């Protein structure tokens, strides 16, 4: 096999941004259907904002794109943002659980509108909390961390396309992803020390595992900001790609994963993400269980046939 697509040049292609008040789902070879979702809303500066002003989900051709839509506000995380993320994950999990769900959703792509992927927590929200700051932080961090954990436990691979700043708790979206592509100007920053808080988004759990304890201490305690290339060199991201190709390259990576043996890839994902929490013996036993389950799939039989017949496999998530 050649190098994965996110490591090799791909043509840049123009893409438009469309917003949906409902989740749009199109199954492979089938009609597009619409699943209505409950729209949360809030009043800010005399205008009504809904969840679609924070995040939207679109499912088409086996790829579920979760797009952050508060681009003019740096995709800063406030209560409505967390509600929108949670609602999107609800619908994503529902799509996966539906009959034929593993054919409908075979990979997830996380993108963001605007100059920044996310600047982290909404400082205006924190500033307005006054003496109630601790309670406000807990009311946001609990559901946000749960949403991130649910992304990390999805049974399909996740790709993130990062431009500009990715900071604070928003780093958790990168940690919950399997492939993290970033534009050259991307900056990875925890920034918790500057606010006098200990941090969320599971950075204190993921960073020692991704970059090592000493570097994690430098990032969190010392507030070191990583450039895109440093994030790759340290193991916090996968690759740096040209800014004008970021979306195309990330979509191509998601497409490649979606066209692959997505059931087996989901099992690989679970094994890799759980490897730090079990002993070697326990992990080997889990490998046997997952090999039994994946070996019983039609995809495994197709993969073996295709290999012996010297042709590309046609995986169908069956």
């Amino acid at each position: 096999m050649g190098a994965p697509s996110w490591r090799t040049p791909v043509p840049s292609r123009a893409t438009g941004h469309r917003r949906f008040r409902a989740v749009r789902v199109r199954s492979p070879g089938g009609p597009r259907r619409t699943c209505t979702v409950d729209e949360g809303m809030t009043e800010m500066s005399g205008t009504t904002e809904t969840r679609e002003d924070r995040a939207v989900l679109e499912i088409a051709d086996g790829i579920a794109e979760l797009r952050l839509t508060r681009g003019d506000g740096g995709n800063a995380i406030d209560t409505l943002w967390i509600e929108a993320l949670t609602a999107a994950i609800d619908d994503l999990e529902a799509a996966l659980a539906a009959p034929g769900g593993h054919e409908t959703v075979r990979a997830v792509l996380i993108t963001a509108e605007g100059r920044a992927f996310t600047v982290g927590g909404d400082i205006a929200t924190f500033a307005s909390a006054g003496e109630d700051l601790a309670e406000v932080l807990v009311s946001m961090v609990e559901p946000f961390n749960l949403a991130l954990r649910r992304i990390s436990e999805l049974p399909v691979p996740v790709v993130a396309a990062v431009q500009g700043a990715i900071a604070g708790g928003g780093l958790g979206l990168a940690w919950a992803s399997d492939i993290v592509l970033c534009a050259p100007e991307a900056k990875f920053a925890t920034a918790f020390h500057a606010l006098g808080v200990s941090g969320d988004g599971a950075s204190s759990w993921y960073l020692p595992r991704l970059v090592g304890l000493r570097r994690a201490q430098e990032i969190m305690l010392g507030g070191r900001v990583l450039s895109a290339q440093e994030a790759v060199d340290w193991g916090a991201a996968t690759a740096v790609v040209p800014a004008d190709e970021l979306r195309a390259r990330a979509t191509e990576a998601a497409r490649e994963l979606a066209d692959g043996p997505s059931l087996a890839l989901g099992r690989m994902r679970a094994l890799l993400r759980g490897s730090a929490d079990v002993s070697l013996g326990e992990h080997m036993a889990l490998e046997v269980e997952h090999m039994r389950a994946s070996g019983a799939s039609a995809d495994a039989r197709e993969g073996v046939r295709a290999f012996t017949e010297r042709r590309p496999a046609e995986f169908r998530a069956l």
Side-chain angles (χ1 to χ4, degrees):
M1 295 180 62
S5 61
W6 56 86
R7 295 281 190 194
T8 56
V10 297
S12 178
R13 59 185 69 127
T15 55
H17 293 293
R18 297 162 56 201
R19 293 185 177 182
F20 299 91
R21 292 187 176 274
V23 179
R24 303 291 181 88
V25 182
R26 185 172 68 234
S27 300
R32 185 183 292 269
R33 67 184 187 277
T34 300
C35 303
T36 304
V37 298
D38 178 28
E39 294 275 348
M41 60 179 59
T42 187
E43 293 285 340
M44 296 187 67
S45 303
T47 62
T48 300
E49 293 189 311
T50 63
R51 289 176 184 163
E52 70 164 3
D53 295 307
R54 297 296 186 269
V56 294
L57 177 73
E58 182 180 12
I59 302 173
D61 301 323
I63 297 175
E65 181 180 357
L66 171 59
R67 186 167 67 255
L68 309 181
T69 54
R70 197 186 185 188
D72 56 357
N75 292 305
I77 302 168
D78 60 6
T79 299
L80 186 60
W81 192 102
I82 296 169
E83 291 177 1
L85 179 67
T86 299
I89 298 169
D90 287 343
D91 290 300
L92 180 53
E93 290 178 339
L96 280 162
H102 283 279
E103 294 180 81
T104 302
V105 178
R106 301 180 61 165
V108 175
L109 173 62
I110 304 177
T111 63
E113 296 179 4
R115 296 178 60 186
F117 185 83
T118 172
V119 296
D122 185 60
I123 301 301
T125 298
F126 302 156
S128 66
E131 295 298 319
D132 296 324
L133 178 59
E135 288 72 20
V136 169
L137 287 171
V138 170
S139 72
M140 294 174 65
V141 170
E142 284 186 338
F144 177 55
N145 276 0
L146 176 58
L148 293 175
R149 193 181 82 187
R150 291 168 67 190
I151 295 174
S152 74
E153 294 174 350
L154 288 171
V156 293
V158 179
V159 177
V162 176
Q163 79 277 6
I166 177 168
L171 285 163
L173 290 170
W175 311 151
S177 300
D178 305 298
I179 304 295
V180 179
L181 304 185
C182 41
E185 80 282 359
K187 300 291 184 184
F188 290 64
T190 58
F192 300 126
H193 75 299
L195 297 178
V197 295
S198 55
D200 63 335
S203 283
S204 56
W205 192 90
Y206 278 107
L207 278 172
R209 290 163 170 80
L210 290 169
V211 306
L213 178 59
R214 290 295 178 232
R215 283 178 165 176
Q217 290 165 328
E218 184 177 357
I219 292 169
M220 292 201 66
L221 278 66
R224 175 160 178 166
V225 178
L226 298 185
S227 68
Q229 190 58 55
E230 286 174 329
V232 172
D233 293 342
W234 283 28
T238 306
V240 180
V241 301
D244 61 353
E245 296 182 8
L246 176 63
R247 182 177 177 84
R249 296 281 285 270
T251 301
E252 193 74 15
R255 176 80 273 148
E256 185 172 325
L257 293 167
D259 289 344
S262 54
L263 294 178
L265 296 180
R267 293 184 178 280
M268 292 177 199
R269 182 176 207 258
L271 285 167
L272 288 167
R273 288 185 167 271
S275 62
D277 303 322
V278 296
S279 69
L280 175 61
E282 290 169 329
H283 189 79
M284 287 178 166
L286 288 171
E287 282 190 330
V288 172
E289 293 179 16
H290 283 291
M291 282 291 280
R292 178 181 292 112
S294 59
S297 69
D299 274 357
R301 294 189 294 275
E302 163 62 10
V304 171
R305 277 196 305 269
F307 190 87
T308 59
E309 295 170 4
R310 300 178 182 275
R311 62 172 174 81
E314 297 181 6
F315 297 113
R316 298 178 56 199
L318 296 174

